[in-house]
Amino acid sequence: MKRLLILTAILTLMVGAANSQVLKPVKWQISFKKVSEGVYDIICKATVESGWHLYDTKLPENGPLPTTFNIDEDETKDIELVGEFKATTEPKTEKSEAFNMELKYFEGTVTFVQRVKLKGDKAKLVGYVEYMSCSGGQCIPPAEEEFEFELTK
């Protein structure tokens, strides 16, 4: 009887631990590179687990959430976005059964870049990348990866 109670307790803990695991199939590395005086590239490198994909920055309406670059305008009033947030490689395109539309996505590793320009001598850049990823018919809810940088001219 004592063995049965111990075994039940161990199995309960194992099931609880397995159920509490949060899927995070996309890992981010966000950094910056100075391009010229007061101009920086924000480099957002995503590593996507095998079997999963990360959506492109431009998707049809009524579909999944595209990958977006967002800055906190209250915190980051001294930063100007230059151009668009875009991937450095071409996405794949496939008809999604789940969304019933053609969607662009990335697998493996993809790097997105957003150029920013300082309006003054220095600025604090605060923001996040918002994204969604799926594997077959399973999708994780939209998620965010935050970043914060001190930039100087």
Side-chain angles (χ1 to χ4, degrees):
M1 182 70 171
K2 192 173 184 178
R3 277 190 186 164
L4 182 60
L5 287 174
I6 292 172
L7 183 59
T8 302
I10 291 171
L11 287 174
T12 301
L13 288 172
M14 289 174 60
V15 169
N19 287 336
S20 68
Q21 290 180 355
V22 176
L23 286 176
K24 191 163 181 183
V26 180
K27 307 287 187 262
W28 290 92
Q29 293 176 317
I30 303 176
S31 60
F32 64 89
K33 178 181 174 186
K34 189 170 189 173
V35 176
S36 62
E37 187 174 320
V39 179
Y40 289 84
D41 281 344
I42 308 303
I43 302 160
C44 305
K45 181 180 177 184
T47 303
V48 185
E49 286 183 15
S50 178
W52 287 82
H53 57 265
L54 172 70
Y55 289 110
D56 192 19
T57 59
K58 291 187 174 32
L59 296 176
E61 287 188 30
N62 301 318
L65 181 79
T67 302
T68 58
F69 180 85
N70 305 278
I71 61 169
D72 182 337
E73 292 180 12
D74 292 335
E75 293 274 343
T76 313
K77 56 187 173 287
D78 296 326
I79 299 277
E80 174 187 336
L81 298 180
V82 179
E84 296 181 333
F85 178 66
K86 59 185 173 185
T88 59
T89 56
E90 287 296 315
K92 295 181 178 184
T93 303
E94 184 175 272
K95 170 120 181 177
S96 167
E97 298 299 322
F99 295 100
N100 194 31
M101 60 179 66
E102 292 282 321
L103 296 175
K104 293 184 178 185
Y105 65 92
F106 300 94
E107 295 176 322
T109 302
V110 58
T111 301
F112 298 91
V113 178
Q114 172 66 62
R115 183 157 288 179
V116 298
K117 183 176 181 181
L118 302 182
K119 294 179 182 177
D121 289 336
K122 65 179 183 174
K124 182 179 188 180
L125 176 62
V126 178
Y128 60 96
V129 175
E130 188 172 25
Y131 64 97
M132 188 171 166
S133 60
C134 295
S135 175
Q138 176 183 10
C139 296
I140 62 165
E144 297 176 358
E145 187 69 27
E146 297 178 352
F147 57 85
E148 183 174 323
F149 301 113
E150 294 286 337
L151 305 175
T152 58
K153 230 174 197 175

